[in-house]
Amino acid sequence: MTFLHSMVCHTQGIRLNAPVKWRGLDGMMSVYWDAEGQNGANAYYLSPDPRIVIFLNDVSSHIQMSNNDRIDTQQYRPMMRAIFVPAGVPLWTNFTGTHRFSHLDLHLHKDRLLRFLSPSIGASAALAALRRPVEIQDIRAIELLASLVIDEVCEPTKHALYVETLIASIVTALIDLPEDSCERANGRLTQAQMNKLIVGMNERSDCRMTVAEMATIVGLSESWFANVFKQTTGKTPLQWQLGKRIDLAQKMLLESDLSVAGVAAQLGFSDQAHLTKAFRQVSGQTPAAWRRTQQFG
């Protein structure tokens, strides 16, 4: 049966460049938009069903989003190229400049998603996954799938099952599915997710990364990531990151002739005193004392 979604939508300063294209499917609705927002344009969305939004171009520097009242601009963050918005989660958007954009909206009936996901990961894990928002900037895994869906929305040529299968693949590529149902049920990061974080951190010369960047690497919302990260490691993301930076500082103190001030500069600490304070907090010693202990102890 064709699914007809129901969503509250209020926009201001946004105009269509072409008629909206849509295709109704079994428990799904695909909608393709080509539009332009003026500087200061804004919108509000609230849906009783989960939905996915995939932008065909990078809008992160032009569109901001928030899940709190749009009047509070401090709550805004850059719009990512693909987002999963759980049922009942409000979304405000704001344009920081005039910008043309196009995106694919996928409105998904919750029961349809549960029927699809539950046989593989269990009903409890499926329900938990559908409650977690996801925001990602790197959409290489789903960009081609989205373009194929758009082709079928604009000019249908294939059976509905083909489009539904494409959308199902987008869902599994985007939402936060557990690699191990028991591990996720306990609210912990998987080992694969931790490995991604470690690789990402090692690629940074100063081991610095925002919590939002860390969350993006593992495909989780920032708030959910911070919660499960502490349950997994016993530390906050920034405490863990500081430990990695001090590990790197110790390596540099042992293997180079850099002064403590030089190490601080290399690792992005504001000055020697900043590094010394953080170093003592993690290791119990100052950098200079630790270096002497290692060299002569």
Side-chain angles (χ1 to χ4, degrees), residues 25 36 63 68 94 114 124 153 164 188 223 251 268 280:
L25 303 159
E36 183 174 297
I63 305 176
N68 296 300
N94 179 63
L114 287 175
S124 177
V153 169
E164 292 167 10
R188 294 177 178 274
S223 59
K251 180 179 175 65
R280 184 187 287 115

Side-chain angles (χ1 to χ4, degrees), residues 46-275:
L46 178 63
S47 175
D49 300 294
R51 66 191 185 98
I52 289 172
V53 183
I54 302 171
F55 286 89
L56 302 189
N57 54 328
D58 182 6
V59 296
S60 59
S61 61
H62 304 281
I63 305 176
Q64 298 177 318
M65 62 177 171
S66 174
N67 300 115
N68 296 300
D69 192 329
R70 66 181 178 84
I71 295 175
D72 184 2
T73 57
Q74 292 183 345
Q75 297 292 331
Y76 279 120
R77 59 193 182 277
M79 173 67 76
M80 298 290 98
R81 289 197 63 188
I83 62 174
F84 172 71
V85 185
V89 174
L91 180 67
W92 283 265
T93 62
N94 179 63
F95 283 72
T96 58
T98 299
H99 185 64
R100 180 169 180 169
F101 63 96
S102 56
H103 63 73
L104 173 68
D105 280 4
L106 301 174
H107 300 268
L108 310 159
H109 195 283
K110 178 181 175 182
D111 291 344
R112 177 71 165 85
L113 286 180
L114 287 175
R115 291 199 307 271
F116 169 60
L117 296 171
S118 295
S120 298
I121 65 173
S124 177
L127 278 170
L130 296 183
R131 295 190 187 105
R132 292 191 290 269
V134 176
E135 302 164 7
I136 64 172
Q137 183 68 2
D138 183 355
I139 64 168
R140 286 173 293 180
I142 59 177
E143 193 166 15
L144 175 58
L145 296 170
S147 67
L148 293 173
V149 172
I150 291 170
D151 289 343
E152 286 299 310
V153 169
C154 295
E155 295 184 16
T157 61
K158 299 184 183 297
H159 193 279
L161 181 61
Y162 167 73
V163 188
E164 292 167 10
T165 302
L166 291 173
I167 294 173
S169 296
I170 290 174
V171 169
T172 54
L174 179 61
I175 69 173
D176 178 29
L177 295 177
E179 295 189 16
D180 183 301
S181 297
C182 293
E183 192 170 16
R184 290 303 279 148
N186 292 329
R188 294 177 178 274
L189 294 173
T190 65
Q191 186 58 53
Q193 288 173 316
M194 286 301 301
N195 290 342
K196 286 182 181 180
L197 283 173
I198 292 170
V199 170
M201 191 67 70
N202 290 341
E203 289 175 348
R204 305 292 181 99
S205 60
D206 58 1
C207 284
R208 297 179 72 186
M209 195 180 298
T210 66
V211 177
E213 288 173 329
M214 295 170 73
T216 298
I217 285 177
V218 296
L220 299 178
S221 68
E222 186 173 344
S223 59
W224 177 254
F225 168 77
N227 178 48
V228 297
F229 187 93
K230 188 164 186 179
Q231 291 188 56
T232 304
T233 66
K235 301 177 181 178
T236 68
L238 294 181
Q239 286 171 339
W240 179 80
Q241 182 181 149
L242 180 61
K244 295 294 182 184
R245 294 177 74 194
I246 297 305
D247 286 345
L248 185 54
Q250 291 176 339
K251 180 179 175 65
M252 295 172 71
L253 289 168
L254 280 181
E255 299 178 1
S256 76
D257 295 324
L258 283 171
S259 65
V260 175
V263 172
Q266 288 279 340
L267 295 181
F269 289 90
S270 57
D271 53 26
Q272 180 174 337
H274 184 198
L275 170 59

